[in-house]
Amino acid sequence: MNKITLTSALLLWSTQGLADMQLSGSLGLQQNYFWDEPKFVDQKSNNSPEMIVEPEIRWRGGDHAFSFKAFGRAGSDDEERNHADIRELHWSYDNDFADINAGINIVYWGVTESWHLVNVINQVDLVENIYQDEKLGQPMINASIIRDWGNVSLYWLPLFRERVYPAAEGRNRTSPPVDNGSARYLHTDKNGNRDYAIRYSHYIGDVDIGLHWFDGIGREPFLQISDDSSSLIPVYSEIRQAGLDVQLTTDAWLWKLEAISNKNIYNNYVASVGGFEYTFFQSFDSNADVGILIEYIYDDRGETSSVFSRDIFLGTRVAFNDQQDTAILLGAIVDKETRETVVKLEASRRLGRQFTLELEGSLFSRANHSFLSYEKDSMVSLRLDWHL
């Protein structure tokens, strides 16, 4: 092959590669408002406007694909909340035998709304919100085999990521605050440990089922008081967890269940979340669908070791099915014994072709145990995103 032919081939390959590449992402501005003064003297108002950037790159060529997605936040009064993370940076290869994925990725398991017990692969991005909805990217090698009898996914997780808690000046912090730089590990090595997981998923008629096994460092640390009582120290230990998630779809009903059995050095426990979602389609003579959600959360560790132990979740989801994709989710978790209540609001709407507006809110009522540190942290936030 002469130089001209080789140059032409490389140019054609490069042009085709660029043509298959998709660049997207968003640039956002968020304004928070906490209507109560901070509870602790070292806390700041945290009402400063914040900037969020989320770039994305997707590429596919034949059986190969590449994905990149990053997240960054700046402008917060909480130094820990000003952070950046690679959510995705992975290569994937699909063939008739298996799908292989290597790099950094986020894996979502689970079916319930209030609490995702089985979602054990990724670490929580706790400085984003206390509901553990946001996850940090996890380095992994994943192979999935898809057959008529079900899907089997294997995960090797070579690098552990610690949970980051709000700083002393931040809102939604514990009392005393967590010292993020003093994490300890029991009977394990952060860098030497090699976590792994396996999951089987399938559907039988109207039932979707998932079973998983996880062996490695638990993503949720035990918080231990420091020697001088000025801070909390995160302590991580190895766990072995078996889990189940099931969803039954019957007409307008969605019946959901997540359950786990967790063995660790502190205490072996079982926990579950179960309930239903019923949807009224085209409600009130409109295109809107209104869903009613009820779930029960159980954790046999009790209030001393678990945020939710015997709580009830009540919520409603409204999808307006309009051109602006307007949607609202409003829910509350209520402790059966103490009546401690956390209310969560999420609403979103597209503005034109390139903008979205999001409204979020949290309300802490009768905070007396699990959320006592947050009793002055009720807030609303408004976020405007511009999409490429």
Side-chain angles (χ1 to χ4, degrees), residues 296-324:
Y296 181 71
I297 307 171
Y298 171 80
D299 190 320
D300 70 358
R301 289 176 294 177
E303 296 285 352
T304 57
S305 301
S306 175
V307 175
F308 303 120
S309 60
R310 290 167 178 82
D311 297 2
I312 297 175
F313 170 77
L314 305 171
T316 181
R317 189 198 319 271
V318 182
F320 288 85
N321 297 318
D322 54 5
Q323 292 184 347
Q324 292 76 34

mmCIF file of all heavy atoms in Angstrom, residues 296-324:
data_model
loop_
_atom_site.group_PDB
_atom_site.id
_atom_site.type_symbol
_atom_site.label_atom_id
_atom_site.label_comp_id
_atom_site.label_asym_id
_atom_site.label_seq_id
_atom_site.Cartn_x
_atom_site.Cartn_y
_atom_site.Cartn_z
ATOM 1 N N TYR A 296 -43.230 0.049 52.292
ATOM 2 C CA TYR A 296 -42.875 -0.157 53.694
ATOM 3 C C TYR A 296 -41.399 -0.553 53.768
ATOM 4 O O TYR A 296 -40.941 -1.448 53.033
ATOM 5 C CB TYR A 296 -43.734 -1.251 54.323
ATOM 6 C CG TYR A 296 -43.430 -1.503 55.778
ATOM 7 C CD1 TYR A 296 -43.785 -0.569 56.750
ATOM 8 C CD2 TYR A 296 -42.778 -2.668 56.184
ATOM 9 C CE1 TYR A 296 -43.505 -0.793 58.080
ATOM 10 C CE2 TYR A 296 -42.493 -2.898 57.525
ATOM 11 C CZ TYR A 296 -42.860 -1.953 58.466
ATOM 12 O OH TYR A 296 -42.574 -2.164 59.790
ATOM 13 N N ILE A 297 -40.657 0.111 54.647
ATOM 14 C CA ILE A 297 -39.221 -0.114 54.795
ATOM 15 C C ILE A 297 -38.970 -0.822 56.124
ATOM 16 O O ILE A 297 -39.423 -0.372 57.176
ATOM 17 C CB ILE A 297 -38.438 1.212 54.760
ATOM 18 C CG1 ILE A 297 -38.790 2.018 53.508
ATOM 19 C CG2 ILE A 297 -36.942 0.963 54.823
ATOM 20 C CD1 ILE A 297 -38.217 3.423 53.506
ATOM 21 N N TYR A 298 -38.230 -1.932 56.059
ATOM 22 C CA TYR A 298 -37.938 -2.698 57.271
ATOM 23 C C TYR A 298 -36.444 -2.996 57.345
ATOM 24 O O TYR A 298 -35.818 -3.391 56.358
ATOM 25 C CB TYR A 298 -38.703 -4.026 57.275
ATOM 26 C CG TYR A 298 -38.289 -4.951 58.389
ATOM 27 C CD1 TYR A 298 -38.772 -4.768 59.682
ATOM 28 C CD2 TYR A 298 -37.394 -5.995 58.156
ATOM 29 C CE1 TYR A 298 -38.384 -5.611 60.714
ATOM 30 C CE2 TYR A 298 -37.005 -6.852 59.191
ATOM 31 C CZ TYR A 298 -37.501 -6.649 60.463
ATOM 32 O OH TYR A 298 -37.106 -7.476 61.479
ATOM 33 N N ASP A 299 -35.860 -2.785 58.526
ATOM 34 C CA ASP A 299 -34.457 -3.108 58.790
ATOM 35 C C ASP A 299 -34.376 -3.616 60.219
ATOM 36 O O ASP A 299 -34.719 -2.871 61.155
ATOM 37 C CB ASP A 299 -33.573 -1.878 58.591
ATOM 38 C CG ASP A 299 -32.086 -2.197 58.610
ATOM 39 O OD1 ASP A 299 -31.675 -3.022 59.433
ATOM 40 O OD2 ASP A 299 -31.337 -1.613 57.805
ATOM 41 N N ASP A 300 -33.954 -4.855 60.412
ATOM 42 C CA ASP A 300 -34.007 -5.425 61.759
ATOM 43 C C ASP A 300 -32.889 -4.931 62.676
ATOM 44 O O ASP A 300 -32.831 -5.326 63.847
ATOM 45 C CB ASP A 300 -34.028 -6.955 61.707
ATOM 46 C CG ASP A 300 -32.713 -7.567 61.248
ATOM 47 O OD1 ASP A 300 -31.766 -6.812 60.930
ATOM 48 O OD2 ASP A 300 -32.626 -8.812 61.191
ATOM 49 N N ARG A 301 -32.043 -4.017 62.197
ATOM 50 C CA ARG A 301 -31.047 -3.424 63.078
ATOM 51 C C ARG A 301 -31.666 -2.399 64.023
ATOM 52 O O ARG A 301 -31.081 -2.036 65.037
ATOM 53 C CB ARG A 301 -29.932 -2.752 62.259
ATOM 54 C CG ARG A 301 -29.028 -3.710 61.538
ATOM 55 C CD ARG A 301 -28.028 -2.978 60.673
ATOM 56 N NE ARG A 301 -28.669 -2.256 59.576
ATOM 57 C CZ ARG A 301 -28.013 -1.498 58.707
ATOM 58 N NH1 ARG A 301 -26.699 -1.361 58.817
ATOM 59 N NH2 ARG A 301 -28.654 -0.892 57.729
ATOM 60 N N GLY A 302 -32.830 -1.868 63.645
ATOM 61 C CA GLY A 302 -33.496 -0.887 64.493
ATOM 62 C C GLY A 302 -32.984 0.525 64.276
ATOM 63 O O GLY A 302 -32.097 0.790 63.460
ATOM 64 N N GLU A 303 -33.540 1.459 65.041
ATOM 65 C CA GLU A 303 -33.252 2.881 64.867
ATOM 66 C C GLU A 303 -31.801 3.243 65.179
ATOM 67 O O GLU A 303 -31.275 4.215 64.652
ATOM 68 C CB GLU A 303 -34.180 3.713 65.767
ATOM 69 C CG GLU A 303 -35.657 3.605 65.423
ATOM 70 C CD GLU A 303 -36.020 4.382 64.177
ATOM 71 O OE1 GLU A 303 -35.159 5.119 63.683
ATOM 72 O OE2 GLU A 303 -37.154 4.248 63.701
ATOM 73 N N THR A 304 -31.142 2.477 66.048
ATOM 74 C CA THR A 304 -29.791 2.854 66.465
ATOM 75 C C THR A 304 -28.749 2.667 65.372
ATOM 76 O O THR A 304 -27.709 3.309 65.386
ATOM 77 C CB THR A 304 -29.367 2.031 67.696
ATOM 78 O OG1 THR A 304 -29.457 0.633 67.371
ATOM 79 C CG2 THR A 304 -30.284 2.337 68.876
ATOM 80 N N SER A 305 -29.027 1.782 64.401
ATOM 81 C CA SER A 305 -28.029 1.483 63.374
ATOM 82 C C SER A 305 -28.493 1.794 61.968
ATOM 83 O O SER A 305 -27.688 1.788 61.040
ATOM 84 C CB SER A 305 -27.641 -0.007 63.447
ATOM 85 O OG SER A 305 -27.116 -0.336 64.711
ATOM 86 N N SER A 306 -29.768 2.090 61.777
ATOM 87 C CA SER A 306 -30.297 2.293 60.437
ATOM 88 C C SER A 306 -31.112 3.580 60.380
ATOM 89 O O SER A 306 -31.848 3.912 61.321
ATOM 90 C CB SER A 306 -31.173 1.105 60.020
ATOM 91 O OG SER A 306 -31.779 1.330 58.770
ATOM 92 N N VAL A 307 -30.949 4.324 59.278
ATOM 93 C CA VAL A 307 -31.728 5.548 59.099
ATOM 94 C C VAL A 307 -33.211 5.213 59.022
ATOM 95 O O VAL A 307 -34.055 5.866 59.625
ATOM 96 C CB VAL A 307 -31.274 6.286 57.830
ATOM 97 C CG1 VAL A 307 -32.161 7.493 57.579
ATOM 98 C CG2 VAL A 307 -29.815 6.720 57.975
ATOM 99 N N PHE A 308 -33.534 4.172 58.256
ATOM 100 C CA PHE A 308 -34.919 3.715 58.132
ATOM 101 C C PHE A 308 -35.010 2.292 58.666
ATOM 102 O O PHE A 308 -34.276 1.410 58.218
ATOM 103 C CB PHE A 308 -35.368 3.754 56.674
ATOM 104 C CG PHE A 308 -35.233 5.100 56.033
ATOM 105 C CD1 PHE A 308 -34.431 5.272 54.920
ATOM 106 C CD2 PHE A 308 -35.894 6.196 56.546
ATOM 107 C CE1 PHE A 308 -34.302 6.510 54.318
ATOM 108 C CE2 PHE A 308 -35.765 7.452 55.961
ATOM 109 C CZ PHE A 308 -34.961 7.609 54.852
ATOM 110 N N SER A 309 -35.901 2.046 59.600
ATOM 111 C CA SER A 309 -36.028 0.696 60.152
ATOM 112 C C SER A 309 -37.442 0.148 60.007
ATOM 113 O O SER A 309 -37.634 -0.972 59.571
ATOM 114 C CB SER A 309 -35.601 0.675 61.623
ATOM 115 O OG SER A 309 -36.399 1.551 62.384
ATOM 116 N N ARG A 310 -38.432 0.930 60.363
ATOM 117 C CA ARG A 310 -39.831 0.526 60.214
ATOM 118 C C ARG A 310 -40.622 1.757 59.800
ATOM 119 O O ARG A 310 -41.418 2.296 60.575
ATOM 120 C CB ARG A 310 -40.353 -0.099 61.513
ATOM 121 C CG ARG A 310 -39.747 -1.465 61.817
ATOM 122 C CD ARG A 310 -40.042 -1.912 63.232
ATOM 123 N NE ARG A 310 -39.498 -3.244 63.493
ATOM 124 C CZ ARG A 310 -38.244 -3.497 63.815
ATOM 125 N NH1 ARG A 310 -37.380 -2.487 63.898
ATOM 126 N NH2 ARG A 310 -37.819 -4.729 64.036
ATOM 127 N N ASP A 311 -40.393 2.171 58.558
ATOM 128 C CA ASP A 311 -40.958 3.418 58.066
ATOM 129 C C ASP A 311 -41.912 3.162 56.903
ATOM 130 O O ASP A 311 -41.833 2.136 56.224
ATOM 131 C CB ASP A 311 -39.842 4.367 57.599
ATOM 132 C CG ASP A 311 -38.924 4.764 58.750
ATOM 133 O OD1 ASP A 311 -39.132 4.279 59.875
ATOM 134 O OD2 ASP A 311 -38.002 5.556 58.516
ATOM 135 N N ILE A 312 -42.785 4.123 56.673
ATOM 136 C CA ILE A 312 -43.747 4.054 55.577
ATOM 137 C C ILE A 312 -43.463 5.181 54.595
ATOM 138 O O ILE A 312 -43.250 6.333 55.002
ATOM 139 C CB ILE A 312 -45.192 4.163 56.103
ATOM 140 C CG1 ILE A 312 -45.518 2.982 57.019
ATOM 141 C CG2 ILE A 312 -46.182 4.198 54.944
ATOM 142 C CD1 ILE A 312 -46.888 3.066 57.672
ATOM 143 N N PHE A 313 -43.447 4.850 53.309
ATOM 144 C CA PHE A 313 -43.282 5.844 52.258
ATOM 145 C C PHE A 313 -44.608 6.031 51.533
ATOM 146 O O PHE A 313 -45.236 5.064 51.093
ATOM 147 C CB PHE A 313 -42.212 5.401 51.257
ATOM 148 C CG PHE A 313 -42.140 6.259 50.022
ATOM 149 C CD1 PHE A 313 -41.531 7.504 50.062
ATOM 150 C CD2 PHE A 313 -42.694 5.829 48.820
ATOM 151 C CE1 PHE A 313 -41.466 8.307 48.926
ATOM 152 C CE2 PHE A 313 -42.636 6.618 47.687
ATOM 153 C CZ PHE A 313 -42.015 7.857 47.741
ATOM 154 N N LEU A 314 -45.035 7.281 51.415
ATOM 155 C CA LEU A 314 -46.251 7.643 50.694
ATOM 156 C C LEU A 314 -45.875 8.668 49.640
ATOM 157 O O LEU A 314 -45.193 9.661 49.942
ATOM 158 C CB LEU A 314 -47.302 8.232 51.642
ATOM 159 C CG LEU A 314 -47.700 7.374 52.851
ATOM 160 C CD1 LEU A 314 -48.578 8.184 53.808
ATOM 161 C CD2 LEU A 314 -48.413 6.117 52.404
ATOM 162 N N GLY A 315 -46.311 8.454 48.409
ATOM 163 C CA GLY A 315 -45.920 9.394 47.365
ATOM 164 C C GLY A 315 -46.883 9.413 46.203
ATOM 165 O O GLY A 315 -47.769 8.557 46.068
ATOM 166 N N THR A 316 -46.687 10.403 45.353
ATOM 167 C CA THR A 316 -47.452 10.502 44.112
ATOM 168 C C THR A 316 -46.530 10.965 43.002
ATOM 169 O O THR A 316 -45.634 11.789 43.222
ATOM 170 C CB THR A 316 -48.643 11.474 44.256
ATOM 171 O OG1 THR A 316 -49.382 11.517 43.036
ATOM 172 C CG2 THR A 316 -48.171 12.881 44.589
ATOM 173 N N ARG A 317 -46.746 10.391 41.822
ATOM 174 C CA ARG A 317 -45.964 10.751 40.643
ATOM 175 C C ARG A 317 -46.928 11.204 39.545
ATOM 176 O O ARG A 317 -47.891 10.490 39.228
ATOM 177 C CB ARG A 317 -45.159 9.543 40.164
ATOM 178 C CG ARG A 317 -44.152 9.865 39.067
ATOM 179 C CD ARG A 317 -43.694 8.615 38.309
ATOM 180 N NE ARG A 317 -43.461 7.476 39.167
ATOM 181 C CZ ARG A 317 -42.307 7.192 39.767
ATOM 182 N NH1 ARG A 317 -41.285 8.010 39.611
ATOM 183 N NH2 ARG A 317 -42.186 6.102 40.511
ATOM 184 N N VAL A 318 -46.673 12.377 38.981
ATOM 185 C CA VAL A 318 -47.535 12.922 37.932
ATOM 186 C C VAL A 318 -46.706 13.144 36.681
ATOM 187 O O VAL A 318 -45.721 13.886 36.705
ATOM 188 C CB VAL A 318 -48.192 14.248 38.369
ATOM 189 C CG1 VAL A 318 -49.121 14.761 37.265
ATOM 190 C CG2 VAL A 318 -48.955 14.075 39.671
ATOM 191 N N ALA A 319 -47.085 12.482 35.607
ATOM 192 C CA ALA A 319 -46.463 12.693 34.294
ATOM 193 C C ALA A 319 -47.512 13.364 33.412
ATOM 194 O O ALA A 319 -48.545 12.764 33.096
ATOM 195 C CB ALA A 319 -46.016 11.373 33.688
ATOM 196 N N PHE A 320 -47.265 14.604 33.029
ATOM 197 C CA PHE A 320 -48.262 15.375 32.287
ATOM 198 C C PHE A 320 -48.343 14.952 30.817
ATOM 199 O O PHE A 320 -49.308 15.296 30.133
ATOM 200 C CB PHE A 320 -47.958 16.870 32.402
ATOM 201 C CG PHE A 320 -48.246 17.429 33.761
ATOM 202 C CD1 PHE A 320 -47.300 17.347 34.781
ATOM 203 C CD2 PHE A 320 -49.463 18.023 34.034
ATOM 204 C CE1 PHE A 320 -47.563 17.863 36.034
ATOM 205 C CE2 PHE A 320 -49.740 18.540 35.287
ATOM 206 C CZ PHE A 320 -48.782 18.464 36.303
ATOM 207 N N ASN A 321 -47.323 14.247 30.338
ATOM 208 C CA ASN A 321 -47.300 13.767 28.953
ATOM 209 C C ASN A 321 -47.522 14.892 27.946
ATOM 210 O O ASN A 321 -48.242 14.746 26.957
ATOM 211 C CB ASN A 321 -48.360 12.670 28.754
ATOM 212 C CG ASN A 321 -48.081 11.444 29.596
ATOM 213 O OD1 ASN A 321 -46.948 10.995 29.714
ATOM 214 N ND2 ASN A 321 -49.120 10.902 30.215
ATOM 215 N N ASP A 322 -46.908 16.034 28.229
ATOM 216 C CA ASP A 322 -46.998 17.172 27.316
ATOM 217 C C ASP A 322 -45.700 17.307 26.535
ATOM 218 O O ASP A 322 -44.750 16.533 26.713
ATOM 219 C CB ASP A 322 -47.299 18.458 28.091
ATOM 220 C CG ASP A 322 -46.293 18.709 29.212
ATOM 221 O OD1 ASP A 322 -45.309 17.929 29.320
ATOM 222 O OD2 ASP A 322 -46.472 19.664 29.970
ATOM 223 N N GLN A 323 -45.635 18.268 25.649
ATOM 224 C CA GLN A 323 -44.440 18.462 24.817
ATOM 225 C C GLN A 323 -43.228 18.869 25.647
ATOM 226 O O GLN A 323 -42.094 18.674 25.217
ATOM 227 C CB GLN A 323 -44.720 19.528 23.756
ATOM 228 C CG GLN A 323 -45.730 19.094 22.702
ATOM 229 C CD GLN A 323 -45.909 20.148 21.626
ATOM 230 O OE1 GLN A 323 -45.473 21.302 21.773
ATOM 231 N NE2 GLN A 323 -46.539 19.779 20.527
ATOM 232 N N GLN A 324 -43.459 19.408 26.829
ATOM 233 C CA GLN A 324 -42.353 19.858 27.682
ATOM 234 C C GLN A 324 -41.894 18.773 28.666
ATOM 235 O O GLN A 324 -41.032 19.035 29.506
ATOM 236 C CB GLN A 324 -42.770 21.107 28.475
ATOM 237 C CG GLN A 324 -42.981 22.346 27.625
ATOM 238 C CD GLN A 324 -44.300 22.298 26.852
ATOM 239 O OE1 GLN A 324 -45.302 21.748 27.344
ATOM 240 N NE2 GLN A 324 -44.315 22.872 25.668
#
